[in-house]
Amino acid sequence: MSADGQGNASKEVKTESVSLHPLGTAAAPEPELLCILGTGDLGRSLGLRLLQSGYRVVYGSRRPHSCGPLPQGAQAKGHEEAAQSAAVVFICIHREHYDFLEKLAPQLRNKVLVDVSNNLKKNLYPEANAEYLQRLVPGAHVVKAFNTLSAWALQNGPSDANRQVYLCGNSDEGKQAVAEVATKLGFTVLDRGSLSAARELEDFPLQLFPEWRLPLRVAVGLTASFFFYVLIREVVYTYIDQGKDMSFRIMVSLANRVFPIVSLIMLSLCYVPGVIAALLQLYRGTKYRRFPDWLDRWMLCRKQLGLVALGFAFLHVIYTLIIPIRYYVRFRLSASTISQIKENRTSVFDTTMAWRADSYYSMGVLGFGLFLLLGITSLPSVSNALSWREFSFVQSKLGYLTVFFCTFHTYLYGWDKFLQSYAYKWHTPPAYLLSLVVPSVLIVLKLLLLLPCVDRSLTRIRQGWERRDPEDASARALLT
């Protein structure tokens, strides 16, 4: 090849060659800037979480140079300058300090204002805080959000028990912008509709244990009823009939009788609605009809009923452990021992009593152990790690086994006392007999549902099969 040919070839190679650049040399997009008006606990926690999620944060304050410690990396400016610099503005101040926002209306026009405020009590103002904010700044897109989260939850990130962000607003674009921020922070967004739902969202944090009210009322009612029942039988009756003052037993002995009774009844109440629902489905022949409202509410609070019952079981265990160190018990043991020495007699070992006592304690330990397992698996961090089949097996199969062990434990405690006339003081049955009514009925009904013919029908119904009424079927045939 000639020199000219080689030169032309080299030119062609140079012309076709492409220069390659490292992928990382391209300029990364600048993080979005968000504004927070307010430097309180909630504002600082929210700003810290936003910075950790990759946002830039600017605070608006009356005193930008002396507003206290802010998260590292955040800026502090005056209200007007901070509001102008960001498209999304979080209002982390109390409603009574909203007045200055009316002066910032030109700077906040077409901006997304996120109202995170709450009130001290319900119906404190005639309108919701977010609606009042929208009236002050009519040109902005007000969105109510993040008010159901605490400063702790924002600072530490979403937890299993507090990961939902409720929002509402009249602007779809504004809600979408807030939803993107909440999702990037790791929260789940639930849209509650227009801004008219703001009052409902502002009432959420003011509710005091709404899901625990019914279980706590049941617990208080059962505790008070059985306590006075046992008090009359054990203290009042003894004082009137025998003239003995047994009031000192109120603190430990009576309490340790009431706690296991309440625990067993409330544990049974966790599973009674499931049996009632199964019987209703068998009676109706379909699963597509709604349960009564009272049954729905009962089923929704089963977890709380179980946890309260577990708390009473804990108290029963602790009170039982301190029985040997009680003065009354030590006095009775020493008096019995001295009496046997003086009379030169020895008690005969009773094998039947030994079997009964060991079985009684064994059933109690097994029941309490399974009870603890039920309580642990009801925790969100544990239940989220279980499949539905695993969770159902623990809460249903092992749950009924727990009821059986605890009920058998109570039967062994009573043994043959119900046959003795002295047990019926003032013709009233012992308290432990009353506590066995609900769990015993529950176990019998559950055994009936486990019969092959009944279980087969119930399974078919829950798989979608429906029993047709013969009259409806004949009428339908005539029409067709």
Side-chain angles (χ1 to χ4, degrees):
M1 182 180 295
S2 62
D4 294 339
Q6 292 178 353
N8 293 334
S10 63
K11 289 179 181 179
E12 291 177 0
V13 172
K14 291 180 180 179
T15 304
E16 295 176 357
S17 63
V18 179
S19 60
L20 300 177
H21 299 279
L23 294 176
T25 58
E30 191 176 16
E32 183 181 356
L33 178 65
L34 302 179
C35 174
I36 299 177
L37 297 183
T39 57
D41 293 338
L42 185 63
R44 291 197 300 268
S45 300
L46 176 60
L48 177 62
R49 189 63 187 166
L50 291 172
L51 289 168
Q52 292 173 347
S53 301
Y55 289 100
R56 293 184 298 135
V57 176
V58 57
Y59 282 92
S61 175
R62 293 172 297 174
R63 300 181 298 272
H65 301 293
S66 59
C67 57
L70 297 177
Q72 187 176 3
Q75 306 176 42
K77 299 180 180 179
H79 288 148
E80 183 175 349
E81 186 179 359
Q84 287 178 338
S85 60
V88 178
V89 181
F90 290 87
I91 311 298
C92 297
I93 55 179
H94 294 287
R95 174 188 174 125
E96 52 266 26
H97 304 306
Y98 278 4
D99 295 340
F100 77 96
L101 296 173
E102 192 173 10
K103 301 177 182 178
L104 298 179
Q107 290 78 19
L108 297 176
R109 184 174 182 80
N110 295 325
K111 301 287 182 71
V112 177
L113 301 187
V114 186
D115 179 35
V116 302
S117 65
N118 288 312
N119 296 319
L120 297 178
K121 60 181 181 179
K122 294 182 180 180
N123 302 321
L124 188 60
Y125 300 102
E127 59 184 345
N129 296 349
E131 294 175 320
Y132 174 61
L133 179 60
Q134 184 68 81
R135 185 160 56 83
L136 286 179
V137 191
H141 306 296
V142 176
V143 177
K144 186 73 182 184
F146 289 95
N147 69 299
T148 57
L149 300 178
S150 64
W152 181 90
L154 287 171
Q155 186 172 353
N156 293 276
S159 61
D160 291 327
N162 196 1
R163 60 169 58 185
Q164 294 178 335
V165 170
Y166 298 92
L167 60 84
C168 66
N170 296 330
S171 170
D172 293 336
E173 294 80 4
K175 290 193 291 185
Q176 180 63 29
V178 178
E180 290 177 359
V181 174
T183 302
K184 194 170 181 179
L185 295 183
F187 295 99
T188 301
V189 178
L190 295 178
D191 190 346
R192 301 305 293 261
S194 65
L195 203 61
S196 59
R199 180 177 291 277
E200 179 185 0
L201 297 188
E202 291 173 3
D203 288 342
F204 277 178
L206 300 178
Q207 297 177 356
L208 184 62
F209 303 116
E211 298 177 350
W212 293 81
R213 290 178 182 175
L214 179 59
L216 290 177
R217 288 171 182 170
V218 173
V220 172
L222 289 174
T223 303
S225 301
F226 278 100
F227 180 80
F228 284 112
Y229 185 81
V230 175
L231 179 67
I232 293 173
R233 282 177 46 88
E234 303 298 331
V235 177
V236 178
Y237 173 83
T238 305
Y239 182 77
I240 294 177
D241 186 69
Q242 303 175 12
K244 294 182 180 180
D245 182 12
M246 305 295 287
S247 58
F248 64 89
R249 302 189 66 188
I250 292 176
M251 301 305 296
V252 177
S253 297
L254 268 62
N256 199 31
R257 292 194 180 189
V258 173
F259 292 153
I261 291 174
V262 176
S263 178
L264 179 59
I265 293 178
M266 295 194 68
L267 175 62
S268 304
L269 292 178
C270 296
Y271 296 94
V272 169
V275 172
I276 296 177
L279 294 176
L280 279 176
Q281 289 176 339
L282 287 171
Y283 174 75
R284 295 171 173 176
T286 180
K287 71 172 185 177
Y288 297 109
R289 291 180 59 183
R290 285 195 58 185
F291 296 128
D293 291 338
W294 59 267
L295 184 57
D296 278 336
R297 291 194 298 269
W298 191 352
M299 296 183 73
L300 289 175
C301 69
R302 288 180 294 178
K303 175 182 176 180
Q304 289 75 19
L305 282 171
L307 292 177
V308 174
L310 180 58
F312 279 95
F314 260 113
L315 291 175
H316 173 51
V317 171
I318 295 173
Y319 271 70
T320 302
L321 291 176
I322 68 172
I323 286 179
I325 63 175
R326 292 178 59 207
Y327 170 77
Y328 174 70
V329 174
R330 290 186 288 110
F331 178 82
R332 290 287 301 271
L333 287 175
S334 60
S336 176
T337 304
I338 294 173
S339 176
Q340 290 183 5
I341 293 174
K342 288 181 177 180
E343 297 177 2
N344 194 23
R345 61 182 176 86
T346 304
S347 299
V348 180
F349 182 78
D350 189 347
T351 306
T352 303
M353 183 60 67
W355 267 100
R356 172 198 165 191
D358 286 357
S359 301
Y360 164 71
Y361 289 121
S362 178
M363 291 299 102
V365 171
L366 291 175
F368 183 68
L370 289 176
F371 211 159
L372 281 178
L373 181 61
L374 295 178
I376 292 173
T377 53
S378 67
L379 298 175
S381 57
V382 178
S383 60
N384 290 340
L386 300 176
S387 66
W388 169 246
R389 186 175 182 182
E390 294 169 342
F391 182 79
S392 177
F393 173 79
V394 173
Q395 294 293 329
S396 180
K397 304 294 191 300
L398 295 185
Y400 281 105
L401 189 60
T402 304
V403 175
F404 173 77
F405 280 144
C406 294
T407 305
F408 194 29
H409 171 71
T410 308
Y411 272 109
L412 290 172
Y413 166 79
W415 198 249
D416 59 351
K417 293 180 182 178
F418 70 98
L419 299 175
Q420 311 299 327
S421 59
Y422 66 82
Y424 298 87
K425 301 172 181 177
W426 282 337
H427 306 288
T428 58
Y432 79 90
L433 275 182
L434 299 178
S435 70
L436 288 171
V437 174
V438 177
S440 299
V441 172
L442 172 65
I443 292 174
V444 171
L445 292 177
K446 183 60 179 178
L447 290 176
L448 292 176
L449 292 176
L450 291 178
L451 293 175
C453 56
V454 180
D455 182 66
R456 192 182 306 114
S457 300
L458 184 60
T459 302
R460 290 181 62 194
I461 291 173
R462 289 177 174 175
Q463 289 177 347
W465 178 82
E466 292 185 89
R467 183 178 64 245
R468 300 294 183 182
D469 191 349
E471 295 182 1
D472 293 343
S474 60
R476 192 178 296 105
L478 291 174
L479 290 174
T480 55

mmCIF file of all heavy atoms in Angstrom, residues 228-264:
data_model
loop_
_atom_site.group_PDB
_atom_site.id
_atom_site.type_symbol
_atom_site.label_atom_id
_atom_site.label_comp_id
_atom_site.label_asym_id
_atom_site.label_seq_id
_atom_site.Cartn_x
_atom_site.Cartn_y
_atom_site.Cartn_z
ATOM 1 N N PHE A 228 -65.565 -8.106 93.936
ATOM 2 C CA PHE A 228 -66.592 -7.945 94.967
ATOM 3 C C PHE A 228 -67.258 -9.280 95.281
ATOM 4 O O PHE A 228 -67.647 -9.529 96.435
ATOM 5 C CB PHE A 228 -67.623 -6.917 94.514
ATOM 6 C CG PHE A 228 -67.140 -5.496 94.613
ATOM 7 C CD1 PHE A 228 -66.901 -4.742 93.485
ATOM 8 C CD2 PHE A 228 -66.908 -4.914 95.855
ATOM 9 C CE1 PHE A 228 -66.442 -3.441 93.577
ATOM 10 C CE2 PHE A 228 -66.452 -3.606 95.955
ATOM 11 C CZ PHE A 228 -66.212 -2.875 94.805
ATOM 12 N N TYR A 229 -67.376 -10.140 94.283
ATOM 13 C CA TYR A 229 -67.958 -11.465 94.514
ATOM 14 C C TYR A 229 -67.075 -12.273 95.466
ATOM 15 O O TYR A 229 -67.566 -12.864 96.438
ATOM 16 C CB TYR A 229 -68.108 -12.190 93.186
ATOM 17 C CG TYR A 229 -68.808 -13.527 93.279
ATOM 18 C CD1 TYR A 229 -70.188 -13.605 93.341
ATOM 19 C CD2 TYR A 229 -68.078 -14.713 93.287
ATOM 20 C CE1 TYR A 229 -70.836 -14.831 93.418
ATOM 21 C CE2 TYR A 229 -68.702 -15.942 93.369
ATOM 22 C CZ TYR A 229 -70.091 -15.993 93.432
ATOM 23 O OH TYR A 229 -70.715 -17.217 93.510
ATOM 24 N N VAL A 230 -65.773 -12.287 95.204
ATOM 25 C CA VAL A 230 -64.840 -13.012 96.062
ATOM 26 C C VAL A 230 -64.728 -12.342 97.423
ATOM 27 O O VAL A 230 -64.601 -13.012 98.465
ATOM 28 C CB VAL A 230 -63.466 -13.119 95.386
ATOM 29 C CG1 VAL A 230 -62.445 -13.767 96.323
ATOM 30 C CG2 VAL A 230 -63.564 -13.936 94.102
ATOM 31 N N LEU A 231 -64.777 -11.023 97.468
ATOM 32 C CA LEU A 231 -64.711 -10.292 98.736
ATOM 33 C C LEU A 231 -65.869 -10.683 99.646
ATOM 34 O O LEU A 231 -65.686 -10.909 100.859
ATOM 35 C CB LEU A 231 -64.735 -8.787 98.457
ATOM 36 C CG LEU A 231 -64.703 -7.863 99.676
ATOM 37 C CD1 LEU A 231 -63.361 -7.970 100.392
ATOM 38 C CD2 LEU A 231 -64.981 -6.419 99.271
ATOM 39 N N ILE A 232 -67.058 -10.770 99.092
ATOM 40 C CA ILE A 232 -68.222 -11.143 99.901
ATOM 41 C C ILE A 232 -68.093 -12.571 100.413
ATOM 42 O O ILE A 232 -68.381 -12.865 101.582
ATOM 43 C CB ILE A 232 -69.507 -10.962 99.073
ATOM 44 C CG1 ILE A 232 -69.739 -9.469 98.798
ATOM 45 C CG2 ILE A 232 -70.708 -11.573 99.787
ATOM 46 C CD1 ILE A 232 -70.893 -9.199 97.851
ATOM 47 N N ARG A 233 -67.623 -13.481 99.547
ATOM 48 C CA ARG A 233 -67.537 -14.886 99.940
ATOM 49 C C ARG A 233 -66.401 -15.154 100.914
ATOM 50 O O ARG A 233 -66.542 -15.970 101.836
ATOM 51 C CB ARG A 233 -67.337 -15.761 98.691
ATOM 52 C CG ARG A 233 -68.597 -15.988 97.888
ATOM 53 C CD ARG A 233 -68.275 -16.801 96.632
ATOM 54 N NE ARG A 233 -67.423 -17.931 96.940
ATOM 55 C CZ ARG A 233 -67.841 -19.133 97.316
ATOM 56 N NH1 ARG A 233 -69.146 -19.362 97.439
ATOM 57 N NH2 ARG A 233 -66.996 -20.113 97.567
ATOM 58 N N GLU A 234 -65.255 -14.510 100.728
ATOM 59 C CA GLU A 234 -64.067 -14.856 101.509
ATOM 60 C C GLU A 234 -63.857 -13.980 102.743
ATOM 61 O O GLU A 234 -63.279 -14.443 103.725
ATOM 62 C CB GLU A 234 -62.815 -14.770 100.612
ATOM 63 C CG GLU A 234 -62.872 -15.653 99.382
ATOM 64 C CD GLU A 234 -62.961 -17.119 99.728
ATOM 65 O OE1 GLU A 234 -62.440 -17.509 100.803
ATOM 66 O OE2 GLU A 234 -63.549 -17.897 98.947
ATOM 67 N N VAL A 235 -64.285 -12.743 102.685
ATOM 68 C CA VAL A 235 -64.023 -11.821 103.798
ATOM 69 C C VAL A 235 -65.301 -11.540 104.591
ATOM 70 O O VAL A 235 -65.349 -11.737 105.812
ATOM 71 C CB VAL A 235 -63.402 -10.503 103.281
ATOM 72 C CG1 VAL A 235 -63.190 -9.526 104.434
ATOM 73 C CG2 VAL A 235 -62.080 -10.781 102.570
ATOM 74 N N VAL A 236 -66.321 -11.067 103.883
ATOM 75 C CA VAL A 236 -67.568 -10.704 104.587
ATOM 76 C C VAL A 236 -68.208 -11.934 105.210
ATOM 77 O O VAL A 236 -68.633 -11.916 106.376
ATOM 78 C CB VAL A 236 -68.536 -10.007 103.612
ATOM 79 C CG1 VAL A 236 -69.851 -9.673 104.317
ATOM 80 C CG2 VAL A 236 -67.893 -8.742 103.046
ATOM 81 N N TYR A 237 -68.309 -13.029 104.463
ATOM 82 C CA TYR A 237 -68.930 -14.244 104.993
ATOM 83 C C TYR A 237 -68.162 -14.776 106.210
ATOM 84 O O TYR A 237 -68.774 -15.165 107.215
ATOM 85 C CB TYR A 237 -68.979 -15.308 103.895
ATOM 86 C CG TYR A 237 -69.461 -16.657 104.378
ATOM 87 C CD1 TYR A 237 -70.818 -16.937 104.494
ATOM 88 C CD2 TYR A 237 -68.540 -17.653 104.736
ATOM 89 C CE1 TYR A 237 -71.260 -18.170 104.951
ATOM 90 C CE2 TYR A 237 -68.979 -18.882 105.195
ATOM 91 C CZ TYR A 237 -70.335 -19.143 105.301
ATOM 92 O OH TYR A 237 -70.763 -20.359 105.752
ATOM 93 N N THR A 238 -66.815 -14.799 106.097
ATOM 94 C CA THR A 238 -66.011 -15.308 107.217
ATOM 95 C C THR A 238 -66.185 -14.452 108.471
ATOM 96 O O THR A 238 -66.246 -14.971 109.594
ATOM 97 C CB THR A 238 -64.526 -15.356 106.822
ATOM 98 O OG1 THR A 238 -64.394 -16.122 105.615
ATOM 99 C CG2 THR A 238 -63.684 -15.983 107.909
ATOM 100 N N TYR A 239 -66.274 -13.155 108.272
ATOM 101 C CA TYR A 239 -66.430 -12.254 109.429
ATOM 102 C C TYR A 239 -67.803 -12.432 110.072
ATOM 103 O O TYR A 239 -67.926 -12.453 111.310
ATOM 104 C CB TYR A 239 -66.239 -10.809 108.981
ATOM 105 C CG TYR A 239 -66.331 -9.811 110.110
ATOM 106 C CD1 TYR A 239 -65.268 -9.635 110.997
ATOM 107 C CD2 TYR A 239 -67.489 -9.059 110.298
ATOM 108 C CE1 TYR A 239 -65.357 -8.724 112.037
ATOM 109 C CE2 TYR A 239 -67.584 -8.146 111.337
ATOM 110 C CZ TYR A 239 -66.515 -7.986 112.201
ATOM 111 O OH TYR A 239 -66.611 -7.089 113.241
ATOM 112 N N ILE A 240 -68.856 -12.570 109.277
ATOM 113 C CA ILE A 240 -70.201 -12.690 109.823
ATOM 114 C C ILE A 240 -70.442 -14.086 110.393
ATOM 115 O O ILE A 240 -71.027 -14.253 111.480
ATOM 116 C CB ILE A 240 -71.247 -12.364 108.740
ATOM 117 C CG1 ILE A 240 -71.133 -10.885 108.340
ATOM 118 C CG2 ILE A 240 -72.655 -12.675 109.223
ATOM 119 C CD1 ILE A 240 -72.077 -10.487 107.212
ATOM 120 N N ASP A 241 -69.990 -15.114 109.699
ATOM 121 C CA ASP A 241 -70.296 -16.483 110.103
ATOM 122 C C ASP A 241 -69.366 -16.983 111.205
ATOM 123 O O ASP A 241 -69.804 -17.709 112.105
ATOM 124 C CB ASP A 241 -70.194 -17.405 108.884
ATOM 125 C CG ASP A 241 -70.646 -18.815 109.193
ATOM 126 O OD1 ASP A 241 -71.847 -19.009 109.424
ATOM 127 O OD2 ASP A 241 -69.782 -19.732 109.208
ATOM 128 N N GLN A 242 -68.071 -16.614 111.134
ATOM 129 C CA GLN A 242 -67.102 -17.148 112.084
ATOM 130 C C GLN A 242 -66.483 -16.080 112.979
ATOM 131 O O GLN A 242 -65.746 -16.407 113.908
ATOM 132 C CB GLN A 242 -65.984 -17.884 111.344
ATOM 133 C CG GLN A 242 -66.493 -19.008 110.446
ATOM 134 C CD GLN A 242 -65.387 -19.647 109.637
ATOM 135 O OE1 GLN A 242 -64.204 -19.413 109.894
ATOM 136 N NE2 GLN A 242 -65.763 -20.463 108.656
ATOM 137 N N GLY A 243 -66.734 -14.824 112.700
ATOM 138 C CA GLY A 243 -66.186 -13.755 113.516
ATOM 139 C C GLY A 243 -64.701 -13.527 113.307
ATOM 140 O O GLY A 243 -64.045 -12.905 114.149
ATOM 141 N N LYS A 244 -64.128 -13.997 112.198
ATOM 142 C CA LYS A 244 -62.703 -13.829 111.916
ATOM 143 C C LYS A 244 -62.492 -12.667 110.945
ATOM 144 O O LYS A 244 -63.252 -12.490 109.997
ATOM 145 C CB LYS A 244 -62.119 -15.101 111.303
ATOM 146 C CG LYS A 244 -62.104 -16.299 112.246
ATOM 147 C CD LYS A 244 -61.468 -17.504 111.553
ATOM 148 C CE LYS A 244 -61.438 -18.704 112.477
ATOM 149 N NZ LYS A 244 -60.820 -19.880 111.815
ATOM 150 N N ASP A 245 -61.435 -11.907 111.205
ATOM 151 C CA ASP A 245 -61.069 -10.801 110.325
ATOM 152 C C ASP A 245 -60.039 -11.310 109.301
ATOM 153 O O ASP A 245 -58.864 -11.502 109.621
ATOM 154 C CB ASP A 245 -60.485 -9.641 111.134
ATOM 155 C CG ASP A 245 -60.136 -8.450 110.256
ATOM 156 O OD1 ASP A 245 -60.553 -8.440 109.071
ATOM 157 O OD2 ASP A 245 -59.437 -7.539 110.739
ATOM 158 N N MET A 246 -60.479 -11.525 108.070
ATOM 159 C CA MET A 246 -59.610 -12.014 106.997
ATOM 160 C C MET A 246 -59.373 -10.939 105.946
ATOM 161 O O MET A 246 -59.045 -11.235 104.798
ATOM 162 C CB MET A 246 -60.244 -13.242 106.338
ATOM 163 C CG MET A 246 -60.587 -14.365 107.307
ATOM 164 S SD MET A 246 -59.109 -15.076 108.053
ATOM 165 C CE MET A 246 -58.447 -15.980 106.671
ATOM 166 N N SER A 247 -59.519 -9.674 106.344
ATOM 167 C CA SER A 247 -59.386 -8.580 105.374
ATOM 168 C C SER A 247 -57.980 -8.460 104.804
ATOM 169 O O SER A 247 -57.793 -7.903 103.721
ATOM 170 C CB SER A 247 -59.792 -7.257 106.023
ATOM 171 O OG SER A 247 -58.983 -6.994 107.170
ATOM 172 N N PHE A 248 -56.959 -8.995 105.523
ATOM 173 C CA PHE A 248 -55.587 -8.896 105.021
ATOM 174 C C PHE A 248 -55.406 -9.701 103.732
ATOM 175 O O PHE A 248 -54.445 -9.479 102.988
ATOM 176 C CB PHE A 248 -54.608 -9.412 106.083
ATOM 177 C CG PHE A 248 -54.760 -10.867 106.418
ATOM 178 C CD1 PHE A 248 -54.057 -11.832 105.707
ATOM 179 C CD2 PHE A 248 -55.614 -11.270 107.430
ATOM 180 C CE1 PHE A 248 -54.205 -13.180 106.015
ATOM 181 C CE2 PHE A 248 -55.763 -12.615 107.739
ATOM 182 C CZ PHE A 248 -55.061 -13.578 107.026
ATOM 183 N N ARG A 249 -56.315 -10.614 103.438
ATOM 184 C CA ARG A 249 -56.201 -11.434 102.240
ATOM 185 C C ARG A 249 -56.582 -10.665 100.974
ATOM 186 O O ARG A 249 -56.407 -11.174 99.864
ATOM 187 C CB ARG A 249 -57.086 -12.671 102.367
ATOM 188 C CG ARG A 249 -56.769 -13.535 103.585
ATOM 189 C CD ARG A 249 -57.523 -14.830 103.538
ATOM 190 N NE ARG A 249 -57.087 -15.657 102.423
ATOM 191 C CZ ARG A 249 -57.686 -16.795 102.059
ATOM 192 N NH1 ARG A 249 -58.749 -17.202 102.725
ATOM 193 N NH2 ARG A 249 -57.235 -17.487 101.042
ATOM 194 N N ILE A 250 -57.101 -9.466 101.148
ATOM 195 C CA ILE A 250 -57.525 -8.683 99.986
ATOM 196 C C ILE A 250 -56.344 -8.389 99.065
ATOM 197 O O ILE A 250 -56.466 -8.473 97.835
ATOM 198 C CB ILE A 250 -58.188 -7.365 100.440
ATOM 199 C CG1 ILE A 250 -59.522 -7.668 101.122
ATOM 200 C CG2 ILE A 250 -58.392 -6.423 99.272
ATOM 201 C CD1 ILE A 250 -60.209 -6.436 101.685
ATOM 202 N N MET A 251 -55.185 -8.059 99.627
ATOM 203 C CA MET A 251 -54.066 -7.569 98.829
ATOM 204 C C MET A 251 -53.463 -8.642 97.922
ATOM 205 O O MET A 251 -53.054 -8.345 96.797
ATOM 206 C CB MET A 251 -52.985 -6.992 99.744
ATOM 207 C CG MET A 251 -53.466 -5.855 100.615
ATOM 208 S SD MET A 251 -54.222 -4.515 99.648
ATOM 209 C CE MET A 251 -52.805 -3.981 98.691
ATOM 210 N N VAL A 252 -53.374 -9.884 98.381
ATOM 211 C CA VAL A 252 -52.704 -10.926 97.600
ATOM 212 C C VAL A 252 -53.653 -12.068 97.255
ATOM 213 O O VAL A 252 -53.830 -12.408 96.074
ATOM 214 C CB VAL A 252 -51.464 -11.459 98.343
ATOM 215 C CG1 VAL A 252 -50.818 -12.598 97.559
ATOM 216 C CG2 VAL A 252 -50.451 -10.342 98.578
ATOM 217 N N SER A 253 -54.255 -12.673 98.241
ATOM 218 C CA SER A 253 -55.058 -13.874 97.996
ATOM 219 C C SER A 253 -56.245 -13.589 97.082
ATOM 220 O O SER A 253 -56.478 -14.310 96.102
ATOM 221 C CB SER A 253 -55.550 -14.445 99.327
ATOM 222 O OG SER A 253 -54.466 -14.847 100.130
ATOM 223 N N LEU A 254 -57.008 -12.542 97.400
ATOM 224 C CA LEU A 254 -58.175 -12.234 96.568
ATOM 225 C C LEU A 254 -57.768 -11.773 95.177
ATOM 226 O O LEU A 254 -58.404 -12.135 94.180
ATOM 227 C CB LEU A 254 -59.039 -11.168 97.256
ATOM 228 C CG LEU A 254 -60.165 -11.699 98.160
ATOM 229 C CD1 LEU A 254 -59.603 -12.510 99.314
ATOM 230 C CD2 LEU A 254 -61.030 -10.555 98.658
ATOM 231 N N ALA A 255 -56.705 -10.971 95.125
ATOM 232 C CA ALA A 255 -56.232 -10.523 93.811
ATOM 233 C C ALA A 255 -55.784 -11.697 92.960
ATOM 234 O O ALA A 255 -56.048 -11.755 91.753
ATOM 235 C CB ALA A 255 -55.094 -9.524 93.995
ATOM 236 N N ASN A 256 -55.113 -12.657 93.594
ATOM 237 C CA ASN A 256 -54.613 -13.806 92.847
ATOM 238 C C ASN A 256 -55.715 -14.777 92.468
ATOM 239 O O ASN A 256 -55.478 -15.719 91.710
ATOM 240 C CB ASN A 256 -53.549 -14.542 93.671
ATOM 241 C CG ASN A 256 -52.682 -15.429 92.818
ATOM 242 O OD1 ASN A 256 -52.434 -15.131 91.652
ATOM 243 N ND2 ASN A 256 -52.214 -16.537 93.375
ATOM 244 N N ARG A 257 -56.905 -14.605 92.991
ATOM 245 C CA ARG A 257 -58.039 -15.375 92.523
ATOM 246 C C ARG A 257 -58.755 -14.671 91.369
ATOM 247 O O ARG A 257 -59.275 -15.319 90.471
ATOM 248 C CB ARG A 257 -59.027 -15.604 93.670
ATOM 249 C CG ARG A 257 -58.510 -16.521 94.756
ATOM 250 C CD ARG A 257 -59.612 -16.973 95.663
ATOM 251 N NE ARG A 257 -59.105 -17.861 96.701
ATOM 252 C CZ ARG A 257 -59.881 -18.542 97.536
ATOM 253 N NH1 ARG A 257 -61.204 -18.433 97.442
ATOM 254 N NH2 ARG A 257 -59.353 -19.317 98.455
ATOM 255 N N VAL A 258 -58.772 -13.354 91.420
ATOM 256 C CA VAL A 258 -59.484 -12.598 90.391
ATOM 257 C C VAL A 258 -58.691 -12.561 89.085
ATOM 258 O O VAL A 258 -59.266 -12.723 87.990
ATOM 259 C CB VAL A 258 -59.760 -11.161 90.892
ATOM 260 C CG1 VAL A 258 -60.342 -10.305 89.775
ATOM 261 C CG2 VAL A 258 -60.704 -11.194 92.080
ATOM 262 N N PHE A 259 -57.369 -12.366 89.153
ATOM 263 C CA PHE A 259 -56.568 -12.221 87.933
ATOM 264 C C PHE A 259 -56.654 -13.427 87.003
ATOM 265 O O PHE A 259 -56.880 -13.260 85.801
ATOM 266 C CB PHE A 259 -55.108 -11.940 88.308
ATOM 267 C CG PHE A 259 -54.894 -10.594 88.939
ATOM 268 C CD1 PHE A 259 -53.838 -10.373 89.818
ATOM 269 C CD2 PHE A 259 -55.747 -9.537 88.663
ATOM 270 C CE1 PHE A 259 -53.640 -9.136 90.404
ATOM 271 C CE2 PHE A 259 -55.561 -8.289 89.249
ATOM 272 C CZ PHE A 259 -54.509 -8.095 90.124
ATOM 273 N N PRO A 260 -56.494 -14.667 87.485
ATOM 274 C CA PRO A 260 -56.616 -15.792 86.548
ATOM 275 C C PRO A 260 -58.020 -15.969 86.002
ATOM 276 O O PRO A 260 -58.189 -16.412 84.856
ATOM 277 C CB PRO A 260 -56.197 -17.004 87.409
ATOM 278 C CG PRO A 260 -56.397 -16.584 88.810
ATOM 279 C CD PRO A 260 -56.121 -15.118 88.842
ATOM 280 N N ILE A 261 -59.033 -15.621 86.786
ATOM 281 C CA ILE A 261 -60.408 -15.726 86.302
ATOM 282 C C ILE A 261 -60.632 -14.775 85.135
ATOM 283 O O ILE A 261 -61.156 -15.157 84.079
ATOM 284 C CB ILE A 261 -61.392 -15.427 87.453
ATOM 285 C CG1 ILE A 261 -61.358 -16.552 88.485
ATOM 286 C CG2 ILE A 261 -62.806 -15.233 86.921
ATOM 287 C CD1 ILE A 261 -62.186 -16.275 89.725
ATOM 288 N N VAL A 262 -60.232 -13.515 85.300
ATOM 289 C CA VAL A 262 -60.395 -12.521 84.235
ATOM 290 C C VAL A 262 -59.565 -12.912 83.019
ATOM 291 O O VAL A 262 -60.018 -12.779 81.868
ATOM 292 C CB VAL A 262 -60.005 -11.125 84.751
ATOM 293 C CG1 VAL A 262 -60.078 -10.097 83.627
ATOM 294 C CG2 VAL A 262 -60.904 -10.706 85.906
ATOM 295 N N SER A 263 -58.347 -13.401 83.240
ATOM 296 C CA SER A 263 -57.483 -13.788 82.126
ATOM 297 C C SER A 263 -58.095 -14.916 81.314
ATOM 298 O O SER A 263 -58.114 -14.867 80.077
ATOM 299 C CB SER A 263 -56.107 -14.209 82.667
ATOM 300 O OG SER A 263 -55.260 -14.631 81.616
ATOM 301 N N LEU A 264 -58.624 -15.939 81.985
ATOM 302 C CA LEU A 264 -59.205 -17.078 81.271
ATOM 303 C C LEU A 264 -60.450 -16.674 80.495
ATOM 304 O O LEU A 264 -60.640 -17.085 79.339
ATOM 305 C CB LEU A 264 -59.540 -18.193 82.271
ATOM 306 C CG LEU A 264 -60.183 -19.459 81.697
ATOM 307 C CD1 LEU A 264 -59.278 -20.093 80.652
ATOM 308 C CD2 LEU A 264 -60.518 -20.448 82.808
#
